[in-house]
Structure formats: C-alpha cells, structure tokens
Amino acid sequence: MRGVWLAAVENRDWPSRPGLSAAEQRAELLAHLDHAAEAGLNTVFFQARPTADALWPSPYEPWSRYLTGTQGENPGWDPLGTAVTEAHARGLELHAWFNPYRIAIHADPGRLVENHPARRNPGWVVPYGGKLYYNPGLPEVRAFVQDAMLDAVEKYPVDAVHFDDYFYPYPVAGQTFDDGDAYDRYGGGFPSRAAWRRDNIDLLVRETSARVKKVRPGVRFGISPFGVWRNATTDPRGSHTRALQTYDDLHADTRRWVRENWIDYIVPQLYWHIGFAAADYAELLPWWAEVARGTGTQLYAGEALYKAGADGQPAPWQDPAELSRHLTLAQRHPEVRGHVFFAAREVAADPIGAMARVVADHYGQPATPPR
C-alpha cells in the first residue's frame, strides 16, 4: 500500500476553493491523481461524503457545498465517477472515503439545504461541540447512512469503502453528547452507556462490511482510526502511551475489529514522531503489528505528511528524513503492509522534501496496488 488521502472537507485538498468551474475542478482533481502516480503511489482515498453530502449524484443526500459553495447545487459533472475512471487509467486504486455521522461543521440546521435528510428528520440530529451529528444510537440512522454510502458502491467500480476516525465525536470539555432518549429506548441490555455506544459502532462496522460484499463482491472495506486504542495504564493490552483512547473516548473498539476480521484493512493514524513521549511512533507501530498478527486484516500505517516542515511542529518534523525513518522502521515488522499519507496537498507541495525523501529511499520500484 502506497496511499494518499484526498480531502474535500473545508476544501482541504480539493477543490482548492468552492465555486470553481467544472473544468477547473476536474483539472485540479486530475493534477492530484498525476502527483500520486508520479510519486510512485498506488492508491487514492477520495473523500466522497465529507459532511452528510455527496460528490456524486445521490438520491439520498445533497451535492456538497465544497464544490459550488451552495449545498445541493449541481456542479455540472460527476467528481466521484471521474475520480474512479481517471485513477484506474493511471494504475491507481480508488478507495471511496466516507464520513458516516458528521452532518455539518456548524450547529445551525437552518443552514442546511431545505430538503436535507437532517432537516426532514430532526430527531436524528445531535448538536455537539459547535457541529451537527447524526445519532449513532438510532437504528434508522444507521440504516440510512449505509444506504447513502452504498449508493456510490452500486454505481461505481470503487476498489474499497473507507471510513476515517469520526464515530462518536471527539470529546469537548464541559459538553455532553445528548443521546439519552435513544439510550433509554435501546440501551437496556447493556451495562453502561459506553458499552451501548460501542455496540452501535460495532454494528455499523459489521453491517457495512456485509453490505459492501453483497453489493459489489471483491470490494474491500477499511478504516483509519485515531492511532491509540487504549493506554496500558487503562488496559494491560493497550499501548505504552498517554493519549486519547478510541475505545473509551470515541466508543470505537478498533482492536476488536482487527482481531475479529470485521474489516479488510486498518490504517491507524500514527501521526506522531519517533520518540514523542505521549504517543511514540516506535511504540505504536509494533503494538499494531502485534494486533494484526495472525488475523485476516491488512495493516497499513497512517503517516502525518502534513506535519513535515509545518510551523509550530517540533524539531523532528522539521527534518525531511523523519517520515523516511518511519518506513525504515516498518520494514522490521512484516505485518505492516504499507503506508498512507495525509494528505494530497502536501504530496503536491512537499515543502521540505519529506515526500521526495520517502520516494527516493523506499519507492524506487513501482508497486502493484494491494489486493
């Protein structure tokens, strides 16, 4: 795996700004695919559903505002369909990247287009931390978000379905995710609300995996969670880290998904440098290798290319060789089957040459996409 995430949310990587013409948007997209191919990469993770919206003509959800600047406005072309066709033409796999539950990067339902499913079903929505989310505890929500995502799998020969790290939202100090009514209705058989929430996410993962295989056999399903499952101080099976824990804080039992083979691959976001005290890359990589060992789940490492040379990052990230050292370390762990870089903007700009160093040190020969 030699992958790159191509993020559309907030116009992070692409399009460079909302409101470009269809021809300009298409030209920018093709340039990103060209950069990936030129760097020796073999997979692009294309964000097709950033915020309960769509970068393809969907019968379920509105066109994304990141295209035209206006949610629901037809951009005049099919970005996901084009991305699949043009990636394949360059020998790249195209993994369709979806965010299951995030509705908006603001907390005002009135700013959503009038026919938005979140406005038609206000009981599905939980405001939290200045944003809007679908409630993962409602079975009808879980079914709807799967229907919306699988529409793309039915329409396009994508190589995989990909989720990122947002399940229940990241904790915000002093705020409560208000899912009490859903818990009262559906949580009776669980020892705690946290256990019920984890089961809700487990159900999403297992159901999505089964439905992907049914709709398009051979398409893989993978997830890129935050890189720490649990700290060893909380659970002896955890890593020697002092960080947020997906199991406890996002209610995502990422270790279980791997051990039980619910997903085809996992890309933990190991976005820290070697030697970082709270979450050392050199501690987490072997921890994940041990988790994946003997399972049918492929392990790839998520890499923080965006930190290389960035203002405010510590000295290791100012060294163009830091990421190359990550790949060298991974060679000692055969369970690590590749790397995915965040994100496409930095692959193109490569401000201090960190990506060029990776290519020079590790990607001298082409690699066929990972199947």
Side-chain angles (χ1 to χ4, degrees):
M1 166 63 76
R2 301 176 182 177
V4 61
W5 281 287
L6 179 59
V9 64
E10 299 287 274
N11 298 97
R12 199 254 176 224
D13 297 319
W14 173 87
S16 58
R17 59 180 175 83
L20 298 176
S21 70
E24 290 168 326
Q25 291 178 20
R26 187 177 190 278
E28 287 189 356
L29 174 60
L30 299 191
H32 279 299
L33 299 179
D34 288 339
H35 287 306
E38 290 161 5
L41 306 184
N42 58 24
T43 307
V44 171
F45 295 75
F46 178 83
Q47 192 170 35
R49 185 180 182 267
T51 53
D53 51 13
L55 275 74
W56 76 95
S58 166
Y60 294 95
E61 294 180 307
W63 282 105
S64 175
R65 69 179 177 89
Y66 302 123
L67 296 170
T68 63
T70 302
Q71 190 174 63
E73 184 176 317
N74 190 327
W77 69 302
D78 180 353
L80 177 56
T82 301
V84 173
T85 299
E86 295 292 341
H88 290 169
R90 290 159 175 77
L92 301 165
E93 282 201 358
L94 196 291
H95 292 208
W97 165 19
F98 304 96
N99 188 290
Y101 292 124
R102 182 172 60 198
I103 297 172
I105 315 286
H106 59 74
D108 180 6
R111 289 172 57 186
L112 302 172
V113 67
E114 189 173 353
N115 64 349
H116 195 290
R119 291 187 66 174
R120 296 201 309 267
N121 301 279
W124 292 4
V125 180
V126 180
Y128 180 79
K131 301 176 183 176
L132 298 174
Y133 297 92
Y134 283 128
N135 187 344
L138 297 176
E140 58 270 33
V141 163
R142 197 168 65 245
F144 172 78
V145 298
Q146 290 176 47
D147 290 344
M149 295 183 291
L150 285 160
D151 178 67
V153 182
E154 291 175 350
K155 287 177 176 172
Y156 306 104
V158 298
D159 297 290
V161 167
H162 184 77
F163 289 173
D164 54 14
D165 55 320
Y166 292 91
F167 296 99
Y168 280 87
Y170 281 81
V172 177
Q175 297 201 24
T176 301
F177 188 83
D178 185 6
D179 57 359
D181 288 346
Y183 180 52
D184 289 343
R185 289 166 62 190
Y186 300 109
F190 294 89
S192 66
R193 186 177 303 201
W196 169 73
R197 286 176 172 176
R198 272 189 297 277
D199 187 66
N200 293 330
I201 303 304
D202 284 350
L203 285 170
L204 172 76
V205 170
R206 288 160 55 198
E207 290 171 1
T208 301
S209 181
R211 291 185 65 182
V212 167
K213 301 295 188 289
K214 185 176 181 180
V215 169
R216 195 175 286 273
V219 168
R220 297 200 294 162
F221 176 44
I223 298 178
S224 55
F226 182 80
V228 175
W229 172 69
R230 299 187 96 184
N231 300 315
T233 51
T234 305
D235 186 322
R237 298 171 298 171
S239 52
H240 292 288
T241 48
R242 301 189 306 276
L244 178 140
Q245 306 170 105
T246 60
Y247 180 95
D248 304 88
D249 297 312
L250 306 181
H251 308 293
D253 192 353
T254 54
R255 181 182 181 274
R256 184 182 188 188
W257 306 342
V258 174
R259 300 298 298 174
E260 307 226 3
N261 295 313
W262 291 351
I263 56 179
D264 296 301
Y265 67 83
I266 194 161
V267 195
Q269 296 178 17
L270 305 183
Y271 287 176
W272 304 285
H273 61 264
I274 295 171
F276 180 56
D280 187 343
Y281 185 94
E283 156 68 22
L284 282 162
L285 191 78
W287 186 89
W288 278 104
E290 176 63 28
V291 168
R293 187 172 303 138
T295 73
T297 305
Q298 301 292 310
L299 170 62
Y300 314 127
E303 302 288 348
L305 177 62
Y306 73 97
K307 290 187 175 179
D311 291 345
Q313 292 295 337
W317 287 113
Q318 308 306 323
D319 182 351
E322 173 67 22
L323 279 181
S324 180
R325 285 193 285 268
H326 292 194
L327 275 70
T328 299
L329 180 64
Q331 291 169 354
R332 307 210 299 256
H333 301 280
E335 297 83 6
V336 184
R337 303 291 296 273
H339 304 261
V340 185
F341 298 93
F342 193 87
R345 186 173 71 199
E346 287 74 20
V347 168
D350 200 16
I352 61 169
M355 193 69 208
R357 182 68 178 266
V358 166
V359 172
D361 292 350
H362 301 279
Y363 292 170
Q365 299 296 320
T368 54
R371 300 301 299 169

